Amino acid sequence: NKQEQRATMAGPTPLNKKTIVKKRTKKFARHQSDQFIRIRNSSWRKPKGIDGRVRRRFKGAIPMPSIGYGSDKKTRNVHPSGFKSVVVSNVAELEMLMMHNRTYAATVGHSVSTRVRREIIERAEQLAIRVTNASAKLRAEDDA
């Protein structure tokens, strides 16, 4: 009983134990983003110029994103905790994860009220579903 209680406290363990390996962790820099402040932190855009070194993949030019940089299918979209994340905004949506509690973890939506948030976390404990942001927007009870 003691061991069972401890298991529910920690929550379920992820089913997939494969280690997550990223082929590339750096963001792809936009061509010439180091030269212009206005595009310094902008996202990747494919170069379209007729003479572009990057588009033609010359040696020494910055790398372009391609399908080869993709993650392993088994570890794609997996959180470092080992679970895939599902945004939940009410208790009914949480019930969907009942049979998949070792693959998916619930993330309570940003706009969910404290009252509903408390209900979701309470039900998640009963169903042994991991909640990634369980402590968010919860204050300690003042009424004793």
Side-chain angles (χ1 to χ4, degrees), residues 56-76:
R56 295 197 288 171
R57 298 197 173 99
F58 281 9
K59 187 165 63 176
I62 61 166
M64 279 207 295
S66 64
I67 202 68
Y69 286 107
S71 301
D72 181 0
K73 199 180 281 187
K74 285 197 175 79
T75 60
R76 195 176 299 153

Side-chain angles (χ1 to χ4, degrees), residues 48-102:
K48 301 269 177 34
I50 53 169
D51 293 331
R53 300 164 64 241
V54 175
R55 183 188 59 78
R56 295 197 288 171
R57 298 197 173 99
F58 281 9
K59 187 165 63 176
I62 61 166
M64 279 207 295
S66 64
I67 202 68
Y69 286 107
S71 301
D72 181 0
K73 199 180 281 187
K74 285 197 175 79
T75 60
R76 195 176 299 153
N77 304 318
V78 172
H79 200 261
S81 65
F83 292 95
K84 290 183 178 181
S85 190
V86 176
V87 179
V88 167
S89 48
N90 57 44
V91 179
E93 288 179 6
L94 187 73
E95 307 280 340
M96 291 191 304
L97 304 178
M98 195 187 314
M99 300 299 291
H100 309 286
N101 65 343
R102 296 196 57 199

